[in-house]
């Protein structure tokens, strides 16, 4: 049973999906105007771990992550760069996917990756429903969400924040996408075009055109509804998105359709650098490339998992160096397990395996407690390493642990199944992929052939209980 901390209730709750075996997750994706920084990457490692875990637990998971390719920042900076909005945002979108791929977040795993500029119709439809219900109004060519009207029609504003509405000043408006917590104001749904060279879209309402562009919040309400329906199961993002972004997403969807946008909101805490907020002026603003001087990208993934997603993560160069050492140790341990050749029946470790299996699943199911899960793994690795060094572990037992570690790596994503895949040789990688495919297709003839080819190349490939083939380099001992 999975328990998750739901920002809507401020409690850890049992996770109950809307459909029996299917889960819909919506993650607020990157605003593509710059390289993603390591704080952003923490947010996606968290969402990916949640996605992986739900898949691992047997759900069919529809994971949707949007790309914000039109907002104040993308418009401002594309203009500065002197290129079109499309060219500008496509560049950063590509860089974003290159970065997350290095963290084992696979683009192919997403159900949909909607881009805001492709959802104008859906956004305008939503705005029209709000106008029809008089929860939105037009002012100087822009369209705003009327918070007082929303409240008067029986809704509650401030579901995530628990805002004191007594301090809410009626009639004030804000046009920027991001605004301060003290300012609960009518927010913008559609922004009128102001300068002639500004990117804009037509918006016809009752025969009149309102050229402009969407506000940031409406983008996510429209894209999540179109791809997952309402309510979908889990909405994720960093804590900075609680207000105003998610609060306003909730209000738009509920105001228009009288349904909650999502049943659970899960928010990751921020990453700090040397205990400070990352900022360019402090010189502590890191992107993935900056930190890979100190360790592999997957060491950063490990580092992110070592802190619970609801805790602040204090990044330091030292912590990255340590994560690199820890990851290398795990890789070495996996290789070592495969080199165990000792035969024999005496069972020394089944209790240990049961213990770590249980501790791992209990920890992860407890609001994704990856630090606890990892602590349990480290403990078992130390014990098994000792047994190997003392020549007390037999091959059968070593294989069981190998299989277990590869199985749980489907949740952790630390690249353990790649440890033995010699990346240098694309022939081998190609053969492994063919082998995996043949396994799925139950094509035993092809599998036999691949096995023989592997032997010729100096490797052994075997099936394991969990469907991930085990590859042994016969030459290495
Ligand atoms: P943005 O591209 O600014 O919309 O941010 C993308 C994601 O990164 C959002 O979920 C943010 O909440 C999250 N985020 C931004 N800064 C940090 C940080 N320092 N630590 C963790 N997550 C962050
Ligand atoms: Zn969003």
């Amino acid at each position: 049973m999975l328990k998750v901390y739901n920002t809507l209730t401020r409690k850890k709750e049992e996770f109950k999906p809307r459909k029996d075996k299917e889960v819909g997750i919506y993650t607020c994706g990157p605003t593509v105007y710059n390289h993603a920084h390591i704080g952003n990457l923490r947010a996606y490692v968290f969402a990916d771990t949640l996605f992986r875990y739900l898949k691992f637990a047997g759900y069919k998971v529809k994971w949707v992550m949007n790309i914000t390719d039109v907002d104040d920042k993308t418009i401002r900076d594309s203009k500065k760069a002197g290129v079109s909005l499309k060219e500008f945002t496509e560049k950063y979108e590509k860089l974003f996917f290159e970065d997350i791929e290095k963290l084992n977040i696979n683009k192919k795993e997403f159900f949909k990756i909607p881009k805001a500029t492709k959802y104008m119709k859906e956004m305008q439809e939503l705005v029209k429903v709000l106008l029809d219900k008089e929860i939105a109004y037009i002012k100087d060519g822009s369209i705003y969400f009327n918070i007082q009207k929303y409240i008067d029609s029986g809704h509650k504003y401030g579901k995530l924040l628990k805002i004191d509405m007594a301090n809410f000043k009626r009639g004030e408006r804000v046009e920027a996408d991001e605004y301060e917590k003290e300012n609960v104001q009518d927010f913008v749904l559609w922004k009128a075009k102001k300068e002639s060279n500004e990117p804009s879209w037509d918006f016809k309402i009752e025969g009149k055109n309102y050229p402009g562009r969407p506000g940031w919040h409406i983008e996510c309400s429209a894209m999540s509804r179109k791809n997952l329906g309402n309510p979908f199961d889990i909405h994720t993002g960093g804590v900075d998105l609680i207000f105003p972004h998610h609060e306003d997403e909730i209000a738009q969807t509920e105001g228009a359709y009288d349904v909650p946008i999502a049943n659970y909101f899960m928010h990751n805490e921020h990453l700090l650098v040397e205990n400070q907020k990352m900022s360019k002026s402090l010189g502590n603003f890191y992107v993935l490339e900056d930190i890979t001087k100190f360790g592999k990208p997957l060491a950063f993934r490990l580092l992110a998992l070592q802190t619970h997603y609801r805790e602040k993560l204090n990044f330091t160069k030292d912590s990255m160096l340590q994560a690199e050492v820890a990851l290398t140790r795990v890789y070495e341990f996996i290789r070592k397990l495969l080199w165990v050749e000792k035969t024999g029946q005496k069972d020394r470790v089944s209790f240990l395996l049961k213990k770590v299996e249980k501790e791992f699943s209990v920890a992860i199911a407890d609001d994704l407690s990856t630090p606890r899960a990892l602590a349990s793994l480290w403990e078992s690795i130390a014990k098994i390493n000792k047994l190997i060094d003392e020549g007390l572990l037999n091959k059968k037992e070593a294989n069981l642990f190998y299989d277990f570690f590869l199985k749980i790596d489907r949740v952790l994503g630390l690249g353990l199944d790649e440890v033995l895949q010699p990346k240098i040789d694309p022939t081998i990688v190609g053969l492994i992929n063919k082998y995996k495919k043949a396994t799925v297709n139950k094509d035993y003839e092809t599998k036999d052939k691949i096995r023989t080819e592997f032997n010729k190349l100096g490797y052994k490939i075997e099936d394991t209980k969990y469907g991930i083939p085990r590859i042994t380099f016969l030459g290495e001992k």
Side-chain angles (χ1 to χ4, degrees), residues 27-33 36-44 68 73 96 178 216 236-242 245-246 267-272 277-278 313:
T27 296
C28 286
T31 306
V32 279
Y33 73 110
H37 59 59
I38 57 173
N40 301 141
L41 296 176
R42 181 196 193 191
Y44 301 112
T68 300
K73 291 186 277 198
F96 172 75
E178 290 170 76
W216 172 36
T236 79
V239 285
D240 55 308
L241 299 190
I242 294 178
H245 188 52
H246 288 169
H267 291 105
N268 63 278
E269 249 303 344
H270 269 191
L271 174 148
L272 304 173
K277 192 174 169 195
M278 247 190 299
L313 190 167

Side-chain angles (χ1 to χ4, degrees), residues 56 68 136 182 186 197 199 221 235 282 287 304 321 328 354 391 471:
F56 177 82
T68 300
E182 301 76 57
D186 288 359
N197 60 349
S221 280
H235 197 322
L282 285 174
V287 299
L321 289 167
T328 308
K354 272 201 196 97
I471 299 110

Side-chain angles (χ1 to χ4, degrees), residues 120-138 143-146 149-150 153 155 189 203-206 218 221-222 225 230 251-259:
M120 289 298 155
K121 192 177 121 249
E122 287 78 5
M123 293 172 201
Q124 294 184 350
E125 265 168 28
L126 208 165
V127 174
K128 274 186 183 159
V129 178
L130 291 169
L131 280 168
D132 284 347
K133 291 190 164 185
E134 293 178 5
I135 295 175
Y137 59 91
I138 303 176
I143 307 173
Y144 293 88
F145 187 93
N146 187 333
K149 273 280 178 60
Y150 176 68
S153 55
H155 299 282
L189 300 165
F203 188 0
K204 303 244 167 56
I205 303 166
E206 291 171 0
I218 200 81
S221 280
R225 180 172 176 87
N230 297 119
Q252 292 163 158
T253 303
E254 282 201 32
Y257 307 113
D258 290 302
V259 280

Side-chain angles (χ1 to χ4, degrees), residues 84-327:
S84 71
L85 182 67
K86 185 165 186 290
E87 189 184 329
F88 183 76
T89 53
E90 277 177 358
K91 172 182 159 193
Y92 288 107
E93 185 190 332
K94 187 167 169 279
L95 290 170
F96 172 75
F97 283 107
E98 282 170 16
D99 278 350
I100 63 168
E101 203 81 27
K102 289 184 191 140
L103 297 173
N104 252 346
I105 303 172
N106 193 338
K107 193 175 176 184
K108 286 193 216 103
E109 295 284 354
F110 290 98
F111 172 61
K112 289 277 168 58
I113 307 174
K115 283 178 28 162
T117 50
K118 302 261 184 301
Y119 282 75
M120 289 298 155
K121 192 177 121 249
E122 287 78 5
M123 293 172 201
Q124 294 184 350
E125 265 168 28
L126 208 165
V127 174
K128 274 186 183 159
V129 178
L130 291 169
L131 280 168
D132 284 347
K133 291 190 164 185
E134 293 178 5
I135 295 175
Y137 59 91
I138 303 176
K139 173 115 179 50
D140 302 331
S142 290
I143 307 173
Y144 293 88
F145 187 93
N146 187 333
I147 293 184
Q148 195 56 53
K149 273 280 178 60
Y150 176 68
I151 296 167
D152 292 346
S153 55
H155 299 282
K156 180 172 164 42
Y157 186 80
K159 288 205 165 141
L160 291 168
L161 251 200
K162 322 281 179 223
I163 310 171
D164 178 7
M165 290 310 289
N167 294 331
F168 162 50
K169 293 187 209 92
R170 196 172 161 159
E172 289 189 11
R173 262 178 305 282
V174 57
E175 207 194 28
D177 283 330
E178 290 170 76
Y179 50 92
E180 294 308 317
K181 195 168 151 171
E182 301 76 57
N183 297 327
V184 175
Q185 304 173 62
D186 288 359
F187 57 89
V188 73
L189 300 165
W190 186 260
K191 299 190 193 197
K193 175 178 180 162
K194 296 211 175 79
E195 291 168 35
S196 60
N197 60 349
E198 214 175 79
S200 72
W201 287 260
D202 285 344
F203 188 0
K204 303 244 167 56
I205 303 166
E206 291 171 0
K208 201 172 165 228
N209 193 16
Y210 295 84
R213 60 188 165 93
W216 172 36
H217 317 305
I218 200 81
E219 298 183 4
C220 285
S221 280
M223 290 185 277
S224 61
R225 180 172 176 87
K226 173 77 181 176
N227 291 296
L228 293 170
N230 297 119
F232 55 88
D233 293 293
I234 307 176
H235 197 322
T236 79
V239 285
D240 55 308
L241 299 190
I242 294 178
F243 185 86
H245 188 52
H246 288 169
E247 204 64 72
D248 292 348
E249 278 186 32
I250 293 175
Q252 292 163 158
T253 303
E254 282 201 32
Y257 307 113
D258 290 302
V259 280
I261 184 167
N263 289 336
Y264 300 84
F265 272 83
M266 292 175 76
H267 291 105
N268 63 278
E269 249 303 344
H270 269 191
L271 174 148
L272 304 173
V273 173
E274 310 276 358
N275 274 319
Q276 280 179 307
K277 192 174 169 195
M278 247 190 299
S279 85
K280 290 208 166 117
S281 58
L282 285 174
N284 66 357
F285 188 94
Y286 293 133
V287 299
L288 190 60
E289 199 186 323
D290 301 324
I291 63 165
T292 44
K293 287 185 216 116
F294 313 111
K296 287 185 272 301
L298 286 182
F300 176 73
R301 182 170 179 120
L302 174 59
L303 181 71
L305 298 177
Q306 275 170 332
T307 301
H308 189 258
Y309 77 90
R310 283 198 292 119
E311 303 280 336
K312 289 196 171 65
L313 190 167
N314 185 27
F315 179 90
T316 62
K317 285 178 196 163
D318 227 36
S319 64
M320 185 65 187
L321 289 167
Q322 280 168 21
E324 173 66 15
V325 171
L327 187 64

